[in-house]
Amino acid sequence: MSQVFSEETHRNLLARIPHCTGREISDWLRAVDDGPALFNFEEKVSWLRHEHNLAYGHAKAIIHEYDLRRAARKLL
């Protein structure tokens, strides 16, 4: 997992994504889940950017959040 932004910056980006993209974070996380089985952080970011025409910062924030939540599930 890559440390992308400060926690505050990450939360601010996540809060703006629905307004900027018209889709909720949960929708984006499902899209990543349903997308290709990529392992590298930057490959996932690149896929999101090109497949869904997202800004680089938004794509990084979504993948970072996806990785955080996936790691949290493994701890349960």
Side-chain angles (χ1 to χ4, degrees):
M1 181 177 0
S2 174
Q3 180 61 32
V4 188
F5 308 108
S6 71
E7 183 65 25
E8 180 181 2
T9 300
H10 177 67
R11 293 288 157 220
N12 288 338
L13 272 169
L14 287 181
R16 288 195 312 259
I17 286 172
H19 173 72
C20 294
T21 67
R23 291 176 67 179
E24 294 298 321
I25 295 301
S26 58
D27 294 338
W28 288 115
L29 298 177
R30 259 191 312 282
V32 174
D33 237 359
D34 294 342
L38 302 170
F39 296 104
N40 180 284
F41 182 88
E42 288 298 328
E43 287 176 337
K44 293 177 195 175
V45 171
S46 182
W47 173 77
L48 261 185
R49 289 185 69 211
H50 292 94
E51 185 71 20
H52 297 283
N53 200 31
L54 288 177
Y56 183 70
H58 291 155
K60 282 181 86 167
I62 290 166
I63 297 302
H64 184 61
E65 184 67 16
Y66 178 84
D67 287 347
L68 287 173
R69 291 184 186 196
R70 186 181 63 189
R73 285 192 307 258
K74 287 182 181 180
L75 293 175
L76 297 178

